[in-house]
Each structure stands twice: as structure tokens, then as C-alpha cells.
Amino acid sequence: MSENEWKFATKVIHACQSPKDWHGGTLPPIYQTAAHRFDTAEELSDVFAGREPGFIYQRLRNPTNQVIEQKIAALEGGVGAVATSSGMAAVANSVLAIADSGDEIVSGNSLFMSTYVLFANVLPRFGIKVNLVESTDLAQYEAAITGKTKLIFVESIGNPKMDVPDISELSKIAHRHSAPLIVDNTLPTPYLFRPIEHGADIVVHSLTKFLNGHGSAVGGVIVDSGDFPWPLDKHVGFKLSKERRPAAPFLDKVWREIHINFGTTLAPMHAFLTMIGLDTLVLRMDRHVANAQALAEYLSSHKKVKWVNYPGLAANPSHETAKRQFAGLGYGGLLTFGLETQEACFGFIENLKLTYHLANLGDSKTLAIHPYSSQYVAFTEEARQKLSIHPEMIRVSVGIEHIDDIIADFDQALK
Ligand SMILES: *Cc1c(COP(=O)(O)O)cnc(C)c1O
């Protein structure tokens, strides 16, 4: 049986393993070295010139990182990947490899905090115009696209707006305009949803969240489907990369031009820690999903809770799209809910005993935060509105503890 025929739960553990090369070890060695030694000048020249594969210097490539790159590419159904120092490096690099000064991008406005700041405030300084549209409104994307639009960007579940755009329809719109579709798939992970199977061209992840699962390291990854044709009349800058790596010009460009020169290297130790976490992805996600669904239903029936936003609830505006599009295994581990006031949210957070109050998600532990007064404290009221950051909103990353204990903790804190 070939690796391609394995079920996801097997692939996540066994894909791209080569214990023979690791002296029989079950995990890859951590190549904790800044550079690699060569015997002859010819050998080093061959690797620098790309005539031979090999490792030169950690900022360029690292053998430990290569294992996680190949593994995530296999899980997402891509032809290859570049691991990065963080999820934000993956987001920034993928956009910078495609859009030049004078170009435009169109993005759903339901974005992770730093992605929003990068798009709304930072990219415009470099001459890249970002048109933000309502993430689930296909007509708005179509209307925002101009002759200068080089890519479309969207989150497969918006963090923390929890909305789910239709990726197949969005990829059709993008492709009609010769633009690739980049999907940030951090919240569902490839276990619940694989955007490339729905027409996406590039998938980015924060490795820090569910893929690592233990809050032990920061990292990111960019996966290339290899399917986008990069027509040169629109994507002029891809000429050399198409010649150098015809099967994956985007990977060539993002690696050679952006990743190496911006220095967004993933620490090999972080790749190693993430690989330990990946082994249990399926078990953890099944539990995250079951617990999130149960907590969402409990909160929906609580009289002090004004509203609950979780795509797994039948009445949620994104439920139908998520149900049709995802693999049928659930709706992720993140949810938001509303109390009467900001003061009530502060009181709730202070009374939590089991749940950790911190700024992360995707950990085995249940985590809660009041985004309005923390991550978004310096945002304008207008930006908070756009991102659906309400003063009376709590965001919860539902962990994998016993659900009875999670509910009991919420129940006593709500009292
Ligand atoms: C956390 C997150 C990121 C950024 O990842 P880092 O590893 O923190 O840089 C990007 N997108 C989404 C959806 C996230 O949740």
C-alpha cells in the first residue's frame, strides 16, 4: 500500500518518516547546527547552484525542518512546503512573494489580529493596496477585483469571527481573474478541512496552534498545491521561478526571494516539538471538536449568555457552508460567546479556575480571553466593528480535558 492510500490518521503519523536515515530513530534528529561542512569546493558549488540537493546553512534549509515541510504538504495534498518562524511569517511571505509595489490584493475582512494589521496598515506602506471585503460575501470579492489584483486571501474559519467562506466558489472567482487563492487553514487543520481539494492554490498555517497542540513552540508553514499556472502576462515576476522549478514555481519564489532574505527560519527544535504534537492530531481534534460542540450547546442554554458563535450550531450563519465543505468531522475547537457587559466578562475571567486566561489557542488546555481589552485594545472602534470584536465577547479555545470539568468551570464562573 502506498503512502497516498493511507487514511489521514495513518498519514499524520507515518508520512515522510525515514527511520533508516535516523539510525532507526522514530523521530528525526534535531540538526542543531548553523551550517553544514563540505569536502570540496565543487560539492558546495553544486548545492549552491541547485545542481545537487543538500544543506548549506540553517537560514536556507534544515534537515529537521524538511521532514515537517514534507509531512504538512502530504497532509494538505500539496507538492511541497516551506516552514517558517511563525504563522505570521507564513502569511507575510506568501503575500510578498506574489504582490509587488503598485499591485492590489483582495482579502476577506475576517482576519487574525496580526494579519489584519499587516494588511490594513503595513502592506500599504510598501505600495500594496489591500481591499478588505465581507469574508462570506462572494459578490464583494468579485466587485473588489481589478486588473491589478494579484491574489485573494481568506481564513477558512475566521479568527475570531468564526465565519466560513465558500472556498470552491472563491477559487473559481480568483481563477477567472488569474489570481491564486491563499487560505489560512489554521483553525480547522488539514484533518477537518483541506482547502487544496476545494480549489485553493496556497495554504498557510500557524504551526503554533492545533498542529503543535501543546503550546510548546511557535512556527508556521506555507504549502503549494502546484496547480496554479502563474500566467506571465499577469505574474511577470514568476519567469525565473517557472524555469527553475516548473512543478512548483511559487515555492521556488517564496523560498529563494522572500524566506531566505527576510530570514524567517523555523528553529529545528520547534519543528521537532511540533512533530511530537502532530502524532496525536487526530485524537486531539476529535476531542477538541466534541468538547467545543458540547460547550457551545451548554452555553446556548445558559440564561446569562446572550449569544454563542460556533459554526457547529445548526442556527449559525456559517453552519450550512461548513457542513457542506468540511470533511464531516466537526467544526474546530474555537468559539466565542457574549455576556451582558464588559464588566461581566472580566468577572467571568477572574472566576475561572481550570481554564487558563492567556493569548493563544489550539492548546490541550482550555483557554479563554477577552479580545476587546487585550489583543485589540489599541484598535480603532471602526476596525473592531469590522472584525466583530465586541466589548461583551469572550473567546474560548476549548481544550481536551473531560467535558464535565470544563462545563463545571464555566458554570461556577458564570455564577
Ligand atoms: C495564530 C494565528 C496566526 C499567526 O500565527 P503565529 O504562529 O502566532 O505567528 C495566523 N492565522 C491564524 C488564523 C491564527 O490563529
Side-chain angles (χ1 to χ4, degrees):
M1 191 165 59
S2 82
E3 287 197 8
N4 281 338
E5 291 165 62
W6 282 337
K7 300 275 193 290
F8 188 93
T10 308
K11 248 188 217 176
V12 78
I13 294 168
H14 286 288
C16 314
Q17 289 283 109
S18 46
K20 276 204 190 86
D21 303 328
W22 308 337
H23 300 284
T26 58
L27 284 159
I30 305 160
Y31 282 89
Q32 194 63 43
T33 185
H36 301 256
R37 176 190 170 277
F38 285 80
D39 284 333
T40 68
E42 282 77 17
E43 281 177 86
L44 183 57
S45 176
D46 281 343
V47 178
F48 259 111
R51 290 186 291 269
E52 293 291 337
F55 300 97
I56 299 169
Y57 185 69
Q58 194 183 115
R59 177 159 45 74
L60 279 52
R61 289 187 205 283
N62 175 279
T64 312
N65 293 2
Q66 196 172 60
V67 179
I68 202 165
E69 288 170 342
Q70 290 168 349
K71 191 166 245 187
I72 305 283
L75 297 179
E76 284 287 5
V79 292
V82 177
T84 55
S85 50
S86 68
M88 278 319 300
V91 170
N93 286 3
S94 60
V95 171
L96 291 172
I98 302 169
D100 295 326
S101 175
D103 288 341
E104 297 180 10
I105 76 172
V106 176
S107 172
N109 65 13
S110 172
L111 292 169
F112 173 66
M113 175 203 51
S114 284
T115 306
Y116 179 82
V117 174
L118 178 74
F119 286 6
N121 304 338
V122 182
L123 291 182
R125 281 186 44 227
F126 296 89
I128 299 168
K129 186 173 173 215
V130 183
N131 294 301
L132 293 172
V133 300
E134 189 59 38
S135 283
T136 52
D137 187 341
L138 297 169
Q140 285 196 24
Y141 290 88
E142 189 78 63
I145 293 173
T146 74
K148 293 179 180 169
T149 304
K150 288 293 175 73
L151 65 92
I152 294 184
F153 186 100
V154 77
E155 293 184 7
S156 48
I157 301 178
N159 173 11
K161 203 171 169 184
M162 306 306 304
D163 47 353
V164 178
D166 187 323
I167 299 298
S168 333
E169 287 306 315
L170 212 44
S171 77
K172 285 180 202 152
I173 293 172
H175 296 162
R176 268 207 300 281
H177 297 275
S178 300
L181 176 65
I182 305 181
V183 177
D184 181 337
N185 199 35
T186 299
L187 293 199
T189 82
Y191 175 52
L192 302 182
F193 179 54
R194 288 178 291 281
I196 290 172
E197 292 175 3
H198 298 260
D201 304 288
I202 294 157
V203 175
V204 294
H205 278 284
S206 169
L207 291 173
T208 322
K209 313 292 172 58
F210 295 101
L211 294 176
N212 174 299
H214 301 77
S216 66
V218 172
V221 68
I222 306 168
V223 182
D224 185 2
S225 71
D227 294 333
F228 193 72
W230 304 105
L232 291 177
D233 54 344
K234 179 141 191 166
H235 300 278
V236 204
F238 275 76
K239 189 164 185 296
L240 264 178
S241 291
K242 286 179 87 165
E243 287 162 17
R244 263 194 307 245
R245 194 166 172 187
F250 170 76
L251 277 187
D252 178 82
K253 197 160 191 285
V254 76
W255 175 76
R256 193 177 296 268
E257 204 174 76
I258 308 297
H259 177 67
I260 287 179
N261 301 313
F262 280 77
T264 49
T265 311
L266 176 67
M269 175 57 113
H270 290 190
F272 178 83
L273 291 169
T274 307
M275 263 177 287
I276 297 176
L278 265 180
D279 271 356
T280 56
L281 178 70
V282 166
L283 289 176
R284 289 186 290 104
M285 287 313 288
D286 281 343
R287 182 73 161 238
H288 281 298
V289 157
N291 282 355
Q293 187 75 36
L295 186 66
E297 283 163 17
Y298 158 80
L299 289 169
S300 302
S301 68
H302 197 288
K303 64 180 188 311
K304 283 191 184 161
V305 175
K306 298 295 152 195
W307 51 265
V308 181
N309 189 5
Y310 181 63
L313 295 173
N316 189 277
S318 281
H319 181 68
E320 285 311 316
T321 308
K323 192 172 163 186
R324 190 176 63 244
Q325 170 167 282
F326 290 178
L329 299 165
Y331 304 87
L334 200 72
L335 61 83
T336 60
F337 67 94
L339 294 176
E340 189 82 59
T341 59
Q342 170 160 324
E343 289 65 41
C345 291
F346 278 33
F348 170 77
I349 280 179
E350 280 153 28
N351 283 310
L352 287 169
K353 293 195 168 72
L354 183 74
T355 304
Y356 283 8
H357 172 223
L358 55 76
N360 191 15
L361 63 90
D363 198 302
S364 305
K365 295 147 185 111
T366 296
L367 315 171
I369 194 163
H370 179 251
Y372 187 89
S373 65
S374 56
Q375 295 129 317
Y376 298 87
V377 71
F379 278 53
T380 63
E381 211 40 53
E382 191 199 345
R384 283 159 157 168
Q385 285 292 330
K386 207 180 276 177
L387 296 165
S388 295
I389 309 299
H390 313 294
E392 72 287 355
M393 180 180 95
I394 301 272
R395 190 190 76 179
V396 185
S397 175
V398 187
I400 60 174
E401 303 95 334
H402 197 289
I403 185 62
D404 293 353
D405 294 325
I406 300 173
I407 290 179
D409 193 34
F410 276 59
D411 203 58
Q412 63 83 26
L414 283 166
K415 277 183 190 133

